[in-house]
Amino acid sequence: MFTIEYNAAKNRVVVTAQEVTLDNAQQYIDEFTKILEKVKPGFTGVTILTGAKVLSQEVAKELAPTSELATQKGVSTDKKWAYVTGSSIYKMQMRRIFGDFVEYFETVEQADAYLSN
């Protein structure tokens, strides 16, 4: 499963994902879209994938448009979307899906420091 929250104090979308499947990919997109209604221009984002299962190719394809949704809502142009994962497979997969839109970190603290500076 996953959670998608908005931290108004930091103007930040926080996604924590353990597993996104074809069964819940549309729910993910719907919740992500709903959260984006709360953000202010220049918002930042972090996705925490610690312990998450790697996405299937079908799910990756379904989620690819979420970076465009974030761009349309005014995601920061100074900071990339932060991904927290130690998995080289996940890094490779996210790079394939999102290209230069994301930056990778080993810990939540490192991602928070990057996004907060």
Side-chain angles (χ1 to χ4, degrees), residues 7-51:
N7 180 325
K10 293 183 177 184
N11 193 28
R12 183 171 302 152
V13 175
V14 179
V15 178
T16 304
Q18 292 80 37
E19 183 176 27
V20 181
T21 64
L22 277 177
D23 291 337
N24 66 6
Q26 187 57 53
Q27 177 188 354
Y28 179 99
I29 293 166
D30 293 345
E31 289 185 29
F32 188 79
T33 302
K34 187 176 177 182
I35 285 292
L36 290 178
E37 296 300 321
K38 298 179 180 184
V39 302
K40 298 176 193 85
F43 75 95
T44 58
V46 60
T47 300
I48 303 163
L49 298 170
T50 309

Side-chain angles (χ1 to χ4, degrees), residues 5-117:
E5 301 171 326
Y6 176 61
N7 180 325
K10 293 183 177 184
N11 193 28
R12 183 171 302 152
V13 175
V14 179
V15 178
T16 304
Q18 292 80 37
E19 183 176 27
V20 181
T21 64
L22 277 177
D23 291 337
N24 66 6
Q26 187 57 53
Q27 177 188 354
Y28 179 99
I29 293 166
D30 293 345
E31 289 185 29
F32 188 79
T33 302
K34 187 176 177 182
I35 285 292
L36 290 178
E37 296 300 321
K38 298 179 180 184
V39 302
K40 298 176 193 85
F43 75 95
T44 58
V46 60
T47 300
I48 303 163
L49 298 170
T50 309
K53 294 182 181 179
V54 176
L55 302 174
S56 71
Q57 288 184 340
E58 295 85 6
V59 172
K61 189 180 211 180
E62 291 288 318
L63 298 184
T66 57
S67 63
E68 182 59 32
L69 292 172
T71 299
Q72 290 171 1
K73 286 298 184 174
V75 69
S76 172
T77 56
D78 296 333
K79 301 287 182 176
K80 296 179 182 182
W81 196 281
Y83 270 78
V84 179
T85 182
S87 167
S88 58
I89 295 171
Y90 237 127
K91 289 177 185 178
M92 189 170 49
Q93 186 176 52
M94 294 301 112
R95 195 169 290 118
R96 198 171 334 127
I97 297 169
F98 300 118
D100 275 347
F101 187 76
V102 298
E103 186 72 37
Y104 303 97
F105 299 92
E106 297 286 324
T107 68
V108 173
E109 294 77 17
Q110 290 171 337
D112 186 57
Y114 165 77
L115 294 171
S116 296
N117 290 330

